[in-house]
Amino acid sequence: MDMNEETSESRKLKCDDTSRCFQLLESILDGEMDNSKEVLKEKLAKCQPCFEHFHLEQAIRDVLKTKCTKQEVPTELADCIRQKIQEIK
C-alpha cells in the first residue's frame, strides 16, 4: 500500500501523543526500527498530524541530502528549518 493511498478523511485530525509519535516517526526515518514499515503504514493510515509530520520530515531530509552532498546534516540545521516551517503554518 502506498503511504499516500489513504485519504485524509479516514484519519483522525488530532494526535493523542504528538511528541511521542513524532519521535517514533523520526526513529523510523533514521532507520532505527526493525519493523518500521508495518508501524509506519499503520500510523500514517490512522493519524493526519503524523502523516503530515512524516512527509514534512522526509521532504526536509531529502532536500538537505541533495544540498549537502557528502556531508552529514547538522541536527541544529534540521531543527531550525523544522521550527521555521512550523512557525509559518
Side-chain angles (χ1 to χ4, degrees):
M1 173 163 121
D2 182 12
M3 286 178 215
N4 290 315
E5 204 170 291
E6 293 283 328
T7 64
S8 60
E9 296 164 4
S10 64
R11 294 185 194 106
K12 61 183 179 176
L13 299 177
K14 184 164 173 45
C15 186
D16 298 327
D17 191 356
T18 305
S19 63
R20 191 173 126 240
C21 290
F22 287 5
Q23 283 180 321
L24 171 70
L25 294 173
E26 289 175 18
S27 293
I28 291 170
L29 282 167
D30 290 339
E32 297 172 353
M33 294 186 61
D34 294 334
N35 60 344
S36 62
K37 287 186 182 183
E38 287 304 311
V39 172
L40 180 63
K41 180 179 168 182
E42 181 179 324
K43 192 64 156 149
L44 298 184
K46 293 181 180 179
C47 183
Q48 185 66 26
C50 291
F51 178 85
E52 291 173 2
H53 177 77
F54 174 80
H55 289 287
L56 173 63
E57 186 71 25
Q58 189 174 44
I60 290 170
R61 290 171 186 235
D62 289 346
V63 167
L64 290 174
K65 281 179 190 174
T66 60
K67 299 299 178 188
C68 302
T69 57
K70 298 188 182 189
Q71 295 179 7
E72 194 164 317
V73 177
T75 305
E76 299 82 22
L77 175 60
D79 290 342
C80 180
I81 292 169
R82 209 174 288 112
Q83 180 181 3
K84 290 195 183 292
I85 291 172
Q86 290 301 326
E87 289 171 3
I88 292 170
K89 282 185 169 183

